[in-house]
Amino acid sequence: MKLSDDFDARRLRPRQPKHWRLRIGAALGALLATFGILLAMAGIASLAGRAPVLGTLNDSTGEAGVLLLLGLLLLWAGIAFWRSCRRRLRQPRDLALSPHLLKKRD
């Protein structure tokens, strides 16, 4: 079969999807985790009796405990969001073959 001069094999392949949304999501997840670490550290410092980190926001031990729990919750949510975005970034976008079509191994 003769190929013509204007044949381009790249047109036959599907375009790779752009991953910028997932990259931005992973960055936001990392920022949430960082903010959660900082809030948890502020709550721990306030519970330990150090100088108040956030001014009058955490004067009592109850408010310091709320800061600690909020920081740990943000840390967990940020890590979960970051991991889900990273998992979706690493998924293969190719066609998958059925196992019965693969080469038989004895």
Side-chain angles (χ1 to χ4, degrees):
M1 180 175 164
K2 184 177 178 181
L3 295 177
S4 62
D5 291 334
D6 60 345
F7 178 74
D8 187 13
R10 287 179 290 179
R11 288 186 299 146
L12 298 177
R13 294 190 182 129
R15 290 182 167 235
Q16 292 294 327
K18 300 206 180 348
H19 298 296
W20 59 270
R21 289 184 200 126
L22 292 174
R23 291 180 198 269
I24 290 174
L28 287 177
L31 281 175
L32 270 177
T34 304
F35 189 61
I37 289 173
L38 291 176
L39 271 180
M41 286 173 48
I44 290 172
S46 183
L47 282 174
R50 302 290 178 192
V53 178
L54 298 176
T56 60
L57 183 62
N58 56 352
D59 283 340
S60 69
T61 57
E63 292 172 353
V66 168
L67 274 181
L68 176 64
L69 288 177
L70 184 65
L72 291 176
L73 181 70
L74 275 178
L75 174 65
W76 176 79
I79 289 174
F81 188 62
W82 177 77
R83 287 186 66 187
S84 70
C85 286
R86 293 289 294 171
R87 189 177 302 124
R88 287 181 59 197
L89 269 171
R90 297 196 183 276
Q91 275 183 346
R93 305 267 189 237
D94 299 333
L95 293 175
L97 287 177
S98 297
H100 73 277
L101 294 177
L102 296 175
K103 184 183 241 183
K104 303 283 188 227
R105 292 195 172 102
D106 294 331

